[in-house]
Amino acid sequence: MIGNDIVDLQLAAKESRINRKGFLDKLFLPEEKKLIQDAVQPSLMVWLLWSCKEAVYKIVNRATKERVYAPHHYTCQLHQLSKISASGVVSYQSQSFYFQSRLIGAAIHTHATSTAELLPKVKPVTAYQLTPSYTVLLQQVGILSSQKILYKDKQGIPYILDQDNGRLVPVSLSHHGNYIGVAVLPNF
Amino acid sequence: MEPSIFIEQIREIVKPYAKNSDALATMNVSTDFINDLKINSANLVDVVLDVEEKYDIVIQNEEMERMLNVQAAMDIVTTKLKEK
């Protein structure tokens, strides 16, 4: 299964005071706080780790349908980190999830999968739009067409519905500020 | 605590983070912070921290997990204030 999360870094800097007392303590575990402290740009590391937790939360939420605000249950480990990308593993209840993050423009876009094999196969799409619209973006990149439309089930979980054969393909949607992030399973 | 009093107090707390002003104006116990008020998930922790400061309480992680709507926040605050 797939999940994704996007953070508009300029908006995040405006919306959140990451230095306020208790902020990091409630969202991050000791080893993650160490990564933040040691980072060249601590705020960038905050949003990188946050996007990983959120992307994996979306996978878990898809499976369990349960809404829980428990960032401390998601442990991020970085296996690779450069100025423009990062990858690693997020553990949740002894299960491992795999993520790939990229710095695009002034945003961090992370997509995650439930198996390591699936990660390189996922197609992430990132866009900056003045009027953010998933439908417009997915039409532009050819994922949606006259017969393929965006569909959400009763719980609000999104899919691409092929109206010709009724086939549903999972898609993960994320939006923050002017940035939109999408992750689609291969062979949609 | 009277729900009406709590709703007024929590409305002031969430105001800076809520992106849906209509839902903020018509807030009730079943109002969901994320789905209705459109509070960013990264800002939900600010709501938790502001509630801690306002009522001088400490909200544990297990309690924060379910603090997704006004009713849950009121239950947590009421319980914590009784323990004082």
Side-chain angles (χ1 to χ4, degrees), chain B:
Chain B
M1 191 186 304
E2 277 291 314
S4 60
I5 295 170
F6 184 78
I7 287 170
E8 283 321 304
Q9 293 175 344
I10 198 83
R11 196 199 310 275
E12 284 308 305
I13 288 174
V14 300
K15 206 186 240 171
Y17 317 113
K19 287 179 179 144
N20 183 337
S21 51
D22 291 343
L24 185 70
T26 59
M27 212 165 132
N28 57 66
V29 286
S30 62
T31 299
D32 189 284
F33 293 137
I34 293 174
N35 292 345
D36 297 326
L37 297 178
K38 306 294 177 199
I39 294 176
N40 186 312
S41 55
N43 279 137
L44 199 53
V45 73
D46 290 298
V47 174
V48 175
L49 291 169
D50 290 348
V51 166
E52 284 188 334
E53 282 171 21
K54 162 91 182 162
Y55 300 99
D56 191 24
I57 56 175
V58 176
I59 296 170
Q60 304 298 335
N61 283 343
E62 309 79 67
E63 294 158 332
M64 180 173 85
E65 287 177 18
R66 55 187 176 87
M67 207 175 121
L68 293 164
N69 57 54
V70 174
Q71 180 71 57
M74 187 165 71
D75 291 347
I76 291 165
V77 171
T78 306
T79 308
K80 292 277 164 181
L81 290 179
K82 270 187 201 155
E83 285 169 4
K84 274 196 166 183

